[in-house]
Amino acid sequence: MTLWLLLVLLPGLLGLWAQFRIMDAYRRNSQIGTRRHITGREAASLVLSSAGIRNVAIESQPGELTDHYDPTRKVLVLSEPNYHGTSLAAVGVAAHEAGHAIQDKVNYPLLRARMGLVPVTQISSMILPFVILGGIFLHALGLVWIGIGCYLVLTFFQLITLPVEFDASRRAKAELAGLGLIDRDEAVGVRETLDAAAWTYVAAFIASLGNLLYLLLQVTGSSRSNND
């Protein structure tokens, strides 16, 4: 029970706290408009232009915090509130995604590594529930080990994601300030939004690592018991 609490339940609670924090920071800073009244789309376009990037399209899609950069299609996607919005949150999120486009342009090694892991990560995510449940209910140790392998892939992916996301936020803050798109006091709201978002990635890594360690300890403990 103590092991499960430390490695599974507490990381899960951290994830819930991180989600609450990002939604709270995002919604508060979504109510604060920038003095220059630029939209998220305009901010992203200006950051891309400043970096000499001309081959990235900027699109909008429905939803909240569905923003992402797709390096395979060279498309920066902003959620509709951030695409059209002129808030500190909208501008900050848009600049963050533009930061990923800059990483793509300069061949940021960890972004390339994360892109390379995407196919195997998607496969691991799809089969993980089946192999874990099958291993537990069928008492098939081999399936559990496959599940551990899946968690190992996911944990490594989350580990690489951390510096990629932190670097994109660093670039976003520097570009917004350097281009004069926000004032010094406005940078506080942008930083708060991006820092809160970073915690969701930290929580995801800790949760994945906790599950991996829990399964490893359970399997090795069972193996030792059977040998005895």
Side-chain angles (χ1 to χ4, degrees):
M1 179 62 182
T2 302
L3 185 64
W4 180 80
L5 178 68
L6 289 175
L7 296 180
V8 180
L9 181 59
L10 289 183
L13 292 175
L14 176 62
L16 291 175
W17 172 82
Q19 287 295 329
F20 170 79
R21 184 177 176 188
I22 177 56
M23 294 308 300
D24 178 61
Y26 175 76
R27 285 171 180 162
R28 279 189 291 102
N29 287 295
S30 291
Q31 305 302 314
I32 306 173
T34 60
R35 293 191 181 95
R36 286 158 185 76
H37 303 290
I38 61 171
T39 65
R41 190 211 178 283
E42 290 169 333
S45 180
L46 289 168
V47 171
L48 293 177
S49 295
S50 175
I53 298 174
R54 304 282 186 268
N55 63 336
V56 170
I58 304 175
E59 300 177 355
S60 67
Q61 71 174 27
E64 186 177 60
L65 292 176
T66 53
D67 316 82
H68 63 279
Y69 172 67
D70 185 346
T72 61
R73 297 192 301 126
K74 306 299 183 189
V75 175
L76 192 158
V77 180
L78 297 176
S79 59
E80 288 181 350
N82 291 335
Y83 186 93
H84 300 289
T86 59
S87 68
L88 294 178
V91 168
V93 170
H96 173 89
E97 299 307 331
H100 285 308
I102 296 173
Q103 291 175 333
D104 188 18
K105 180 193 176 186
V106 302
N107 288 313
Y108 184 59
L110 292 178
L111 177 65
R112 293 281 173 253
R114 186 171 74 168
M115 288 170 58
L117 281 172
V118 167
V120 67
T121 300
Q122 291 174 333
I123 294 172
S124 297
S125 298
M126 286 190 294
I127 69 173
L128 182 59
F130 301 103
V131 297
I132 291 296
L133 289 176
I136 292 174
F137 289 109
L138 300 177
H139 302 289
L141 192 59
L143 286 177
V144 177
W145 276 110
I146 293 175
I148 289 172
C150 290
Y151 264 122
L152 185 61
V153 170
L154 295 174
T155 301
F156 187 58
F157 181 82
Q158 294 293 351
L159 179 62
I160 290 180
T161 293
L162 291 179
V164 172
E165 295 299 331
F166 281 114
D167 180 75
S169 289
R170 179 189 63 79
R171 294 176 190 270
K173 296 169 191 174
E175 289 291 335
L176 289 175
L179 293 171
L181 301 181
I182 57 173
D183 293 330
R184 180 174 297 180
D185 60 325
E186 292 179 306
V188 175
V190 169
R191 183 173 63 250
E192 182 183 40
T193 302
L194 296 183
D195 288 352
W199 269 103
T200 62
Y201 298 104
V202 173
F205 167 69
I206 293 175
S208 184
L209 179 61
N211 280 299
L212 172 63
L213 293 176
Y214 180 75
L215 281 178
L216 278 172
L217 291 173
Q218 290 292 101
V219 169
T220 54
S222 297
S223 298
R224 283 196 297 267
S225 298
N226 292 335
N227 291 333
D228 293 342

